[in-house]
């Protein structure tokens, strides 16, 4: 597994609110290096009580480029706050946990440590990007004057 190609950045195009209570979470891996990716997610304050890290949500491969594969899943949270990490299994049999503090062997105490997870502290409506209505009917032109010389 090429661990240097694994990439996720919270509160960016890799983790964003797209509806009032739904998030898209994405992960990048090396092309044809990973068999499947699963999301471990739940309320940050119930990690020990509910052990939600034992439930996994399968992520879909949505795009492949020459260098990378991109995985995505849509999740929601009842209380509008979320902690999450990734279970990544490669074709060579390596199984790892990827969280806020990088990559660890999957299982054991790494999954039980609350600070190892990425976080979306609260789903704020102000954080959600909304396209203004007037943009949908607009024709855009890009003029590059230096190319007319």
């Amino acid at each position: 597994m090429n661990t240097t190609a694994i990439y996720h950045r919270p509160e960016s195009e890799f983790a964003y609110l797209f509806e009032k209570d739904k998030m898209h979470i994405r992960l990048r891996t090396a092309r044809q290096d990973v068999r499947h990716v699963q999301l471990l997610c739940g309320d940050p304050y119930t990690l020990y009580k509910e052990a939600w890290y034992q439930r996994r949500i399968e992520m879909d491969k949505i795009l492949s480029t020459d260098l990378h594969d991109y995985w995505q899943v849509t999740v929601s949270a009842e209380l509008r706050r979320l902690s999450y990490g990734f279970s990544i299994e490669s074709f060579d049999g390596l199984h790892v946990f990827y969280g806020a503090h990088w990559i660890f062997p999957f299982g054991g105490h790494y999954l039980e440590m609350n600070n190892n997870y990425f976080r979306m502290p609260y789903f704020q409506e102000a954080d959600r990007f909304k396209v203004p209505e007037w943009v949908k009917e607009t024709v855009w032109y890009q003029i590059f004057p230096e190319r007319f010389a």
Side-chain angles (χ1 to χ4, degrees), residues 50-105:
E50 294 179 8
W52 48 255
Y53 53 84
Q54 295 175 350
R55 295 186 307 267
R56 302 181 201 167
I57 302 170
E58 198 70 32
M59 295 182 72
D60 298 318
K61 188 189 305 184
I62 59 166
L63 176 68
S64 288
T65 66
D66 291 341
L67 300 175
H68 299 107
D69 290 334
Y70 292 86
W71 305 79
Q72 179 174 296
V73 68
T74 301
V75 294
S76 62
E78 182 180 339
L79 298 175
R80 298 177 63 160
R81 58 186 181 220
L82 193 68
S83 283
Y84 61 93
F86 303 92
S87 164
I88 306 171
E89 190 174 338
S90 68
F91 287 108
D92 60 9
L94 186 60
H95 191 192
V96 297
F97 169 74
Y98 174 53
H101 294 122
W102 197 231
I103 297 174
F104 300 101

